Amino acid sequence: MKTINILGAGLVGSLLAIYMAKRGFSVNVYENRSDLRKNLHLQGKSINLALSDRGWKALETVDVADAIKKIAIPMHGRMIHNLNGTLNFQPYGTENQCIYSVSRSDLNRVLLNEAEKMENVHLFFDSVCEKVDLKANKFWIRNTKNKQIQEIENTLTFGADGAFSALRLAMQRTDRYTYSQSYLPDGYKELLIPAGKNGEFLLEKNALHICPRGKFMLIALPNFDGSFTCTLFLSFESGEHHFANLTTEKAVLDFMQTHFPDISALIPNLCEQFFQNPTGAMLTVRASSWVYENRFALIGDAAHAIVPFYGQGMNAGFEDCRILNELLDKYSENLEQVFTDYQAVRIKDSAAIADLALNNFVEMRDKTADPKFLLQKKIEAKIHQLFPKKWLPLYSMVTFSHIPYSEAQKIGFEQEEIMQKIMQIPDIENSWESLDFENILFATK
């Protein structure tokens, strides 16, 4: 039985282990953290995740979707919290379409449990990859508890060890390797709205809540215990409002109560949380090659970390696993053919979703409360209703379909050009429902 090594037991590493074990491989997974299932304080990154169709399909393929559904809450649309206290619900798609809020740590626990059920999966925690020697075809693992270092002969190793991957670092040192990492000037801080007295949800349960405020915003996603995980996205140090200015309790209270009064009123220990919780950074990782001599390969964030504003980071990583598995089927596990296609397809698509995620930050932060933007979305929904096979909104293509990200991006650009022309029609606010869309669409094209 061939051995596959996986660096990282996070979401993608755990799912990849299940995929590879189901193919009959012996799978060794090395994780630098302790086993989070045995220590509830080991949460790691805790931003709630939005699980959508691409992620579900990957989970369903290896029969773990049902276990995940038990910890996922459907969100049928965005609930916009305007500064004046009014709410505006914006459905994501058709009546049955939704994304699902799921805790990163809870999801990781379930995937680890599912992986551990398989006799050919071996999980090693507190195991840091110290070094990878690509030419010698070896890597070294240090146990952080007993300090022992183990030299491991590689057969096939996947780097699923995140944005600061040890495997990718080794690949970056090879000839003509192009790599970039770029940070947003904005950071994020998590805050928790506790459940009500009887465990009730204090906000609408089945919605992703967004408080757009121009150059910054706050979002909130539901948890199973009735609480909401809030995330404040704000510039580190530029602009009128930024984290560097929020250094006192008075400054924090003034800022939060002025810009997010309804949310602030639901967080009893607001200042305590604000100063206790770290301020996180967000980056985009792009790499020119994900494979070295068909013996080492990158997957998930190690290959293509993106900012969280399309809710596709995890979904894209899960899709990596599914597509890799399909290629192993297609080419009867001929790794040269598998990895040639894997790189060609996924690098192109990861670049597309990285760009889309950056653009969606501006949409969520600046546009979701803009009347003109909301009108455009109404018109797009009308067009989709009239011509469902010819017009699928970009968000739906990304979130509720399996159209390659790069193709969705291309179609989205074309549709946006059409929409900008439609939005220039005189008196569009009052006339849009009576427009001859079929003629307009064909004439515009």
Side-chain angles (χ1 to χ4, degrees):
M1 183 185 297
K2 187 173 183 179
T3 297
I4 288 181
N5 303 302
I6 299 174
L7 304 178
L11 300 178
V12 174
S14 300
L15 182 61
L16 181 63
I18 296 170
Y19 266 93
M20 295 299 103
K22 281 183 175 287
R23 299 194 68 87
F25 295 109
S26 176
V27 183
N28 296 325
V29 185
Y30 300 94
E31 169 58 48
N32 61 7
R33 299 171 297 172
S34 296
D35 189 342
L36 58 76
R37 297 169 298 171
K38 298 177 180 178
N39 189 337
L40 295 178
H41 298 293
L42 293 175
Q43 298 293 330
K45 294 183 291 184
S46 57
I47 279 185
N48 277 45
L49 301 168
L51 187 55
S52 56
D53 284 29
R54 295 173 195 268
W56 282 121
K57 185 174 182 179
L59 295 169
E60 289 164 356
T61 300
V62 286
D63 302 318
V64 297
D66 287 343
I68 305 302
K69 286 176 182 176
K70 296 176 182 178
I71 59 169
I73 299 176
M75 299 182 294
H76 298 283
R78 298 167 170 169
M79 184 69 77
I80 306 301
H81 292 239
N82 298 306
L83 189 55
N84 63 6
T86 59
L87 300 176
N88 177 27
F89 182 72
Q90 302 173 4
Y92 281 130
T94 61
E95 184 178 349
N96 295 322
Q97 288 179 326
C98 61
I99 60 177
Y100 289 78
S101 175
V102 60
S103 159
R104 177 190 294 271
S105 54
D106 289 347
L107 176 55
N108 207 163
R109 288 187 182 96
V110 172
L111 289 174
L112 286 171
N113 287 336
E114 293 296 319
E116 198 169 50
K117 290 177 183 177
M118 310 179 78
E119 292 184 356
N120 49 335
V121 173
H122 313 284
L123 302 174
F124 301 95
F125 296 97
D126 306 295
S127 299
V128 176
C129 180
E130 290 277 282
K131 178 185 175 183
V132 178
D133 189 327
L134 299 172
K135 292 184 178 179
N137 205 31
K138 297 178 181 179
F139 62 95
W140 287 261
I141 295 291
R142 175 174 58 86
N143 185 291
T144 58
K145 289 190 172 180
N146 61 27
K147 311 303 179 185
Q148 292 183 355
I149 295 179
Q150 180 183 8
E151 179 182 289
I152 298 175
E153 293 281 347
N154 171 55
T155 50
L156 173 59
T157 297
F158 287 92
D161 46 343
F164 303 101
S165 167
L167 175 55
R168 196 191 61 243
L169 179 61
M171 294 172 69
Q172 287 171 222
R173 292 169 176 156
T174 61
D175 290 342
R176 296 187 297 159
Y177 193 94
T178 301
Y179 160 81
S180 70
Q181 108 181 3
S182 55
Y183 282 90
L184 282 181
D186 303 78
Y188 68 90
K189 186 179 290 287
E190 291 201 342
L191 303 166
L192 186 73
I193 296 175
K197 289 183 179 180
N198 298 313
E200 70 267 26
F201 291 86
L202 299 181
L203 298 172
E204 165 58 44
K205 173 184 177 181
N206 299 116
L208 190 158
H209 297 261
I210 305 179
C211 308
R213 300 295 183 260
K215 296 301 179 183
F216 55 95
M217 69 174 177
L218 183 146
I219 68 172
L221 279 74
N223 299 308
F224 252 95
D225 62 0
S227 66
F228 283 81
T229 300
C230 303
T231 309
L232 171 65
F233 296 98
L234 181 68
S235 170
F236 277 108
E237 53 198 14
S238 62
E240 182 181 358
H241 303 288
H242 48 80
F243 280 117
N245 274 348
L246 302 179
T247 57
T248 67
E249 289 192 2
K250 183 180 186 307
V252 170
L253 288 173
D254 286 348
F255 173 77
M256 293 295 294
Q257 291 172 357
T258 297
H259 299 287
F260 311 107
D262 55 342
I263 300 297
S264 299
L266 302 177
I267 307 177
N269 58 340
L270 175 58
C271 289
E272 180 184 345
Q273 288 192 43
F274 193 93
F275 292 114
Q276 178 178 315
N277 296 343
T279 304
M282 296 172 286
L283 80 163
T284 299
V285 167
R286 304 175 194 261
S288 63
S289 175
W290 296 2
V291 178
Y292 182 83
E293 294 185 355
N294 303 320
R295 295 184 280 114
F296 294 92
L298 302 174
I299 196 166
D301 281 359
H304 54 74
I306 63 175
V307 296
F309 302 110
Y310 229 117
Q312 287 297 304
M314 168 190 62
N315 291 288
F318 284 1
E319 191 174 59
D320 287 345
C321 296
R322 178 181 65 80
I323 289 178
L324 176 67
N325 187 61
E326 290 175 355
L327 291 172
L328 287 165
D329 283 339
K330 179 179 179 180
Y331 293 117
S332 302
E333 298 182 4
N334 181 315
L335 294 185
E336 182 175 0
Q337 292 177 305
V338 167
F339 284 134
T340 296
D341 276 18
Y342 172 67
Q343 281 201 134
V345 171
R346 296 309 285 166
I347 289 180
K348 178 174 65 174
D349 286 335
S350 70
I353 191 57
D355 291 338
L356 289 169
L358 290 166
N359 293 338
N360 208 47
F361 180 32
V362 177
E363 177 174 313
M364 293 175 68
R365 184 191 66 185
D366 298 0
K367 296 182 179 180
T368 49
D370 180 359
K372 187 174 182 180
F373 173 81
L374 297 179
L375 174 61
Q376 179 175 331
K377 292 303 174 185
K378 284 184 180 180
I379 296 174
E380 287 185 21
K382 178 69 172 180
I383 295 172
H384 172 59
Q385 182 183 9
L386 293 171
F387 312 104
K389 294 183 179 180
K390 296 182 179 179
W391 186 287
L392 189 63
L394 176 59
Y395 186 88
S396 294
M397 284 190 284
V398 170
T399 308
F400 302 123
S401 86
H402 304 288
I403 297 171
Y405 289 125
S406 54
E407 185 178 340
Q409 183 187 40
K410 179 179 179 293
I411 296 170
F413 284 151
E414 295 170 352
Q415 291 180 342
E416 181 62 20
E417 289 183 4
I418 294 171
M419 286 307 305
Q420 288 306 311
K421 293 178 180 178
I422 290 175
M423 295 304 292
Q424 299 304 314
I425 294 174
D427 196 33
I428 186 65
E429 296 85 354
N430 299 311
S431 64
W432 69 273
E433 292 186 88
S434 60
L435 293 176
D436 181 355
F437 284 110
E438 185 169 16
N439 181 57
I440 291 172
L441 289 176
F442 286 115
T444 309
K445 288 182 179 180

